[in-house]
Amino acid sequence: MSNAVATPAAEGGKLEFLVKGDHHPAQGTLLGFWIYLMSDCLIFASLFATYGVLSMNFAGGPSGADLFDLELVALNTAFLLISSITYGFAVLKMQQNSVRGTMGWLAVTGVFGLCFLGVELYEFYHMIHIGAGPQRSGFLSAFFTLVGTHGLHVTFGCIWLVTLLLQLRKHGLIQENKRRVYCLSMFWHFLDVIWIGVFTYVYLMGSMV
Amino acid sequence: MSDHHEHHGHHEHAEEAPHSSFKGYMIGFVASVILTAIPFWMVMSDVLDSRNATILIILGFAVVQIVVHMIYFLHMDFQSQGGWTMLSLIFTVVLLFITLFGSLWVMYHMNVNMMPSMMGGADGMP
């Protein structure tokens, strides 16, 4: 990936190479965290594949069309999307060196994350309550595994968010905290990307069965 | 929020900060809202009669929205970290396609080729 620029010298016809080396990654942590996210992406790929294989195995039980409440899913999608943009505002405030602004927007992001979790837990509770728990059919096992894993990621994201807020309050916008904010921003946006796959493949396509 | 301006100029080269801007986030957000609203609307109010056409269209919207998120929220480009983030992303996407379509393809044909007496009523993939 290095750019070799050849400048033919006027005399002698010899080639001179000005090899411009790569910038050494100044923030190796961000790259390492990205690679972690990619491996996480493969976990979700296998869960999506499992769901795809099992999505028609209802075992005589309810299908997605019977169970899914798309208005609730739309609400959840909105929560997650808004939390993504508010996290973006937190990053912008951080780049303006405003601790209060960063913490404020991070807190707003956390509130939307908790709203998302609340709605999802209500949905799970409702489904288990009417006898459509994960043990009902292959479809429901795969559904709870996939959506539950995503929800678990959001849960840990919220825990991380609270931790980060405490670190910001104690130390302010030091270099380490900035790095942490960037890492969590990748994690948070990545979860939103996974959710696009979930609401399209699981909820929208599932309710058309 | 009116005091946001684009802050492109002040990146130090020492830290590889993502190239965030208020405009970029807003473009990503508005595009995502549109790209989310249309599939929900199509499914919830049964716009098309053909189920397969609806599935193809909403999958297309999902792919476009994932790309929008990658560009405007995750700030993917070919330059960051010397291109290594893009390289690992491409590698992951390749594995992802092999896992997803490999599983669906193999298991679909297994269901189709199963002996009739063993078929449990399930007739294939979505």
Side-chain angles (χ1 to χ4, degrees):
Chain A
M1 255 165 282
S2 53
N3 302 317
V5 182
T7 46
E11 63 279 332
K14 270 167 69 183
L15 289 174
E16 252 182 78
F17 287 98
L18 300 173
V19 179
K20 285 194 276 182
D22 290 333
H23 286 295
H24 186 73
Q27 292 252 16
T29 311
L30 290 184
L31 178 58
F33 194 76
W34 177 256
I35 290 172
Y36 153 70
L37 286 181
M38 290 297 98
S39 70
D40 218 12
C41 193
L42 291 180
I43 291 180
F44 279 106
S46 53
L47 291 178
F48 269 106
T50 311
Y51 176 82
V53 167
L54 293 174
S55 59
M56 292 290 159
N57 300 7
F58 302 122
S63 72
D66 306 320
L67 291 171
F68 297 152
D69 181 359
L70 282 187
E71 282 165 22
L72 216 56
V73 180
L75 181 70
N76 244 358
T77 308
F79 282 150
L80 214 53
L81 195 55
I82 293 172
S83 82
S84 247
I85 184 83
T86 55
Y87 203 112
F89 292 153
V91 169
L92 291 173
K93 280 290 175 195
M94 185 180 75
Q95 290 176 347
Q96 296 164 3
N97 280 318
S98 156
V99 189
R100 286 179 57 98
T102 311
M103 290 178 66
W105 282 116
L106 283 181
V108 174
T109 308
V111 169
F112 279 109
L114 289 178
C115 289
F116 172 86
L117 283 175
V119 172
E120 191 165 283
L121 285 176
Y122 164 75
E123 186 196 18
F124 281 6
Y125 170 78
H126 177 70
M127 285 171 73
I128 294 171
H129 190 68
I130 61 171
Q135 69 274 42
R136 180 65 189 83
S137 64
F139 154 68
L140 282 166
S141 300
F143 167 82
F144 274 94
T145 312
L146 173 57
V147 183
T149 306
H150 179 270
L152 207 58
H153 275 75
V154 178
T155 311
F156 281 108
C158 288
I159 294 171
W160 186 359
L161 199 73
V162 173
T163 317
L164 193 56
L165 280 175
L166 294 176
Q167 285 172 321
L168 278 169
R169 197 176 67 180
K170 189 155 185 219
H171 302 294
L173 283 175
I174 55 173
Q175 202 61 43
E176 288 80 1
N177 276 346
K178 285 187 177 177
R179 195 180 62 214
R180 287 165 189 148
V181 170
Y182 282 131
C183 281
L184 182 55
S185 95
M186 286 199 284
F187 187 73
W188 202 266
H189 294 313
F190 168 76
L191 289 183
D192 208 1
V193 171
I194 298 293
W195 183 253
I196 298 170
V198 173
F199 80 70
T200 307
Y201 194 60
V202 176
Y203 286 105
L204 291 183
M205 280 169 63
S207 58
M208 283 192 292
V209 170
Chain B
M1 268 176 278
S2 58
D3 58 338
H4 285 287
H5 293 293
E6 288 187 55
H7 277 255
H8 272 310
H10 70 169
H11 287 306
E12 262 86 40
H13 269 287
E15 67 173 276
E16 273 218 42
H19 301 272
S20 324
S21 70
F22 179 68
K23 196 177 147 203
Y25 278 118
M26 283 323 280
I27 293 173
F29 181 69
V30 172
S32 299
V33 168
I34 296 168
L35 291 167
T36 305
I38 294 174
F40 269 97
W41 169 70
M42 286 187 69
V43 174
M44 287 169 88
S45 48
D46 282 325
V47 177
L48 294 183
D49 291 329
S50 161
R51 182 169 169 270
N52 285 341
T54 312
I55 285 177
L56 274 181
I57 292 172
I58 63 173
L59 282 180
F61 273 108
V63 170
V64 174
Q65 198 184 347
I66 287 174
V67 173
V68 166
H69 274 242
M70 286 281 173
I71 293 173
Y72 290 105
F73 289 163
L74 284 163
H75 312 296
M76 286 298 297
D77 55 36
F78 286 96
Q79 275 83 45
S80 65
Q81 306 278 4
W84 287 107
T85 47
M86 186 52 90
L87 200 66
S88 56
L89 176 68
I90 292 169
F91 176 66
T92 309
V93 169
V94 170
L95 286 185
L96 197 140
F97 269 85
I98 294 172
T99 313
L100 272 178
F101 289 101
S103 304
L104 290 176
W105 183 45
V106 169
M107 296 307 287
Y108 174 77
H109 283 277
M110 253 186 64
N111 273 346
V112 168
N113 294 322
M114 203 71 110
M115 288 206 300
S117 60
M118 296 170 74
M119 280 181 69
D123 55 340
M125 295 299 110

